Amino acid sequence: MAHPAGTVPENKEVYNYAHIQEDQNAIKFGSFRPAFVGKPPNYYPNTLGTYLKAAAGIIFVLLVAFGIFCALLVPSLQNSRDTAWVFSGVFALYILIILIVVFIGGRERVKKEKELIEKKIREQQKK
């Protein structure tokens, strides 16, 4: 609402009201400033259940790996060369299983994303 020097606004009442509003809306020094932060759409924070599921999965994987290690440790004390081949095979199988699971999960995610995108497009076309 600032006017160049030497000019007078046409309606002084509106001009004065605008300056009063600017003064009222100005944040004074030391005043309370609330910090409201919006949440992005489709934001779901982690809950205790999420952490428990993750911990259970990690513990399960560690127990399986420890079981395989213990099962192969006893024979390795008697014949180390054959055990090295078995360890290598089990490790390769483990990596292969993980890759397959990740591939299947990724494929399902892509399908779900495509369905959601198509649903969103249909909703926007209806508007």
Side-chain angles (χ1 to χ4, degrees), residues 36 90 99 119:
F36 298 111
V90 169
L99 289 174
K119 180 181 174 185

Side-chain angles (χ1 to χ4, degrees), residues 1-9 14-15 18-19 22:
M1 298 268 357
H3 295 281
T7 62
V8 178
V14 173
Y15 181 75
H19 279 289
E22 286 178 8

Side-chain angles (χ1 to χ4, degrees), residues 68-86:
I68 292 170
F69 174 75
C70 290
L72 295 174
L73 182 63
V74 173
S76 71
L77 298 174
Q78 293 147 0
N79 190 352
S80 61
R81 174 169 267 179
D82 291 340
T83 304
W85 283 107
V86 172

Side-chain angles (χ1 to χ4, degrees), residues 37-113:
V37 179
K39 292 182 182 177
N42 297 328
Y43 172 72
Y44 303 102
N46 290 330
T47 61
L48 180 63
T50 308
Y51 291 115
L52 291 177
K53 287 177 187 176
I58 291 170
I59 291 171
F60 174 74
V61 168
L62 290 175
L63 288 175
V64 168
F66 184 70
I68 292 170
F69 174 75
C70 290
L72 295 174
L73 182 63
V74 173
S76 71
L77 298 174
Q78 293 147 0
N79 190 352
S80 61
R81 174 169 267 179
D82 291 340
T83 304
W85 283 107
V86 172
F87 265 115
S88 299
V90 169
F91 180 70
L93 182 66
Y94 181 72
I95 296 297
L96 182 66
I97 290 171
I98 288 176
L99 289 174
I100 290 171
V101 167
V102 168
F103 175 74
I104 292 171
R107 191 172 54 189
E108 291 298 320
R109 180 177 175 204
V110 168
K111 286 181 186 177
K112 184 69 173 174
E113 285 178 354

Side-chain angles (χ1 to χ4, degrees), residues 26-33:
I27 298 174
K28 306 292 188 262
F29 180 74
S31 63
F32 173 72
R33 293 186 177 113

